[in-house]
Amino acid sequence: GESVGLHLPTLSVQEGDNSIINCAYSNSASDYFIWYKQESGKGPQFIIDIRSNMDKRQGQRVTVLLNKTVKHLSLQIAATQPGDSAVYFCAERTGNQFYFGTGTSLTVIP
Amino acid sequence: GAVVSQHPSRVICKSGTSVKIECRSLDFQATTMFWYRQFPKQSLMLMATSNEGSKATYEQGVEKDKFLINHASLTLSTLTVTSAHPEDSSFYICSARGGGGRRGGLDTQYFGPGTRLTVL
């Protein structure tokens, strides 16, 4: 299958700082990308998505950046809060298939 | 946003019994539903893909006779773990594809809250 990997398995940030979570994907034909947040014991929650014809999309406190040249996706969380502590993983769509990354565990230090 | 529910959220059963888990898309029609299994601190493992009205497509290594999937309507899919054993204990998560444009595109996957299965 396709590989969607994350550069860092864990990330710790101080409350109030900005967080950046990275994801590398391998298939240049992927046309749609999603970031999910998964809290312990819960199902993944959709955060934000981006199509391949865009390079940036903003949501509430979150921004996704897509660099198709180097096949890199990032999630930026502004003013990180304790409630942001979770595992974040990216997903890419290639054709009719979705492929998920392994996840980065974000810990927010009060 | 699009909501997917699962029932039950937690189940404990004796070895040898069968357990049914329901996955419902509450505010949209899902032509495709997915079933995943997740072990602690690990990523999602796709078990099967089910399309409404047709047989599920199972991933390699997943026993179709053990994990029965039924997708009878555009809003409901069920996973039945037959003759459950302790090694089947896991977190089972479903997702549904679709959802319209309010959050995410038409082809976004929305996940249910998961079902924790413990087989004694």
Side-chain angles (χ1 to χ4, degrees), chain B residues 53-106:
Chain B
S54 61
K55 290 184 178 180
T57 302
Y58 289 81
E59 295 298 301
Q60 193 171 11
V62 179
E63 298 175 58
K64 59 182 67 176
D65 294 330
K66 180 164 185 65
F67 299 100
L68 301 177
I69 291 173
N70 182 279
H71 192 165
S73 76
L74 286 172
T75 59
L76 173 64
S77 177
T78 60
L79 168 68
T80 301
V81 183
T82 62
S83 187
H85 292 284
E87 57 265 31
D88 299 323
S89 299
S90 190
F91 193 50
Y92 292 87
I93 307 173
C94 72
S95 73
R97 189 164 172 173
R102 283 181 298 169
R103 290 193 72 194
L106 287 170

Side-chain angles (χ1 to χ4, degrees), chain A residues 32-52:
Chain A
Y32 178 57
F33 305 87
I34 310 166
W35 278 103
Y36 291 96
K37 171 186 179 183
Q38 187 176 21
E39 296 175 86
S40 181
K42 297 183 179 180
Q45 177 186 3
F46 172 96
I47 301 174
I48 192 168
D49 60 355
I50 188 168
R51 298 188 187 276
S52 59

Side-chain angles (χ1 to χ4, degrees), chain A residues 32 36 38 49 93 96 98, chain B residues 38 97 104-105 107-109:
Chain A
Y32 178 57
Y36 291 96
Q38 187 176 21
D49 60 355
R93 183 184 69 189
N96 220 20
F98 282 86
Chain B
Q38 188 177 39
R97 189 164 172 173
D107 234 354
T108 301
Q109 282 195 41

Side-chain angles (χ1 to χ4, degrees), chain A residues 42-87:
Chain A
K42 297 183 179 180
Q45 177 186 3
F46 172 96
I47 301 174
I48 192 168
D49 60 355
I50 188 168
R51 298 188 187 276
S52 59
N53 61 353
M54 303 171 67
D55 52 25
K56 180 179 180 179
R57 189 160 189 236
Q58 287 185 290
Q60 190 175 21
R61 283 201 307 118
V62 295
T63 300
V64 55
L65 299 178
L66 175 63
N67 186 329
K68 293 182 288 293
T69 303
V70 294
K71 296 199 282 287
H72 184 267
L73 189 70
S74 70
L75 176 71
Q76 300 179 3
I77 305 174
T80 314
Q81 302 169 358
D84 295 328
S85 293
V87 173

Side-chain angles (χ1 to χ4, degrees), chain B:
Chain B
V3 179
V4 176
S5 71
Q6 275 182 248
H7 178 80
S9 59
R10 184 182 294 268
V11 58
I12 301 173
C13 68
K14 292 182 178 179
S15 185
T17 60
S18 294
V19 175
K20 179 186 282 189
I21 303 170
E22 291 186 351
C23 177
R24 292 181 186 273
S25 56
L26 297 185
D27 55 356
F28 66 99
Q29 292 186 326
T31 53
T32 306
M33 287 185 170
F34 305 85
W35 286 96
Y36 296 86
R37 187 172 178 177
Q38 188 177 39
F39 293 102
K41 299 190 185 302
Q42 293 190 22
S43 62
L44 302 169
M45 184 184 79
L46 179 65
M47 298 174 66
T49 302
S50 76
N51 292 295
E52 186 263 340
S54 61
K55 290 184 178 180
T57 302
Y58 289 81
E59 295 298 301
Q60 193 171 11
V62 179
E63 298 175 58
K64 59 182 67 176
D65 294 330
K66 180 164 185 65
F67 299 100
L68 301 177
I69 291 173
N70 182 279
H71 192 165
S73 76
L74 286 172
T75 59
L76 173 64
S77 177
T78 60
L79 168 68
T80 301
V81 183
T82 62
S83 187
H85 292 284
E87 57 265 31
D88 299 323
S89 299
S90 190
F91 193 50
Y92 292 87
I93 307 173
C94 72
S95 73
R97 189 164 172 173
R102 283 181 298 169
R103 290 193 72 194
L106 287 170
D107 234 354
T108 301
Q109 282 195 41
Y110 295 95
F111 287 88
T115 296
R116 173 73 58 192
L117 170 63
T118 303
V119 185
L120 301 176

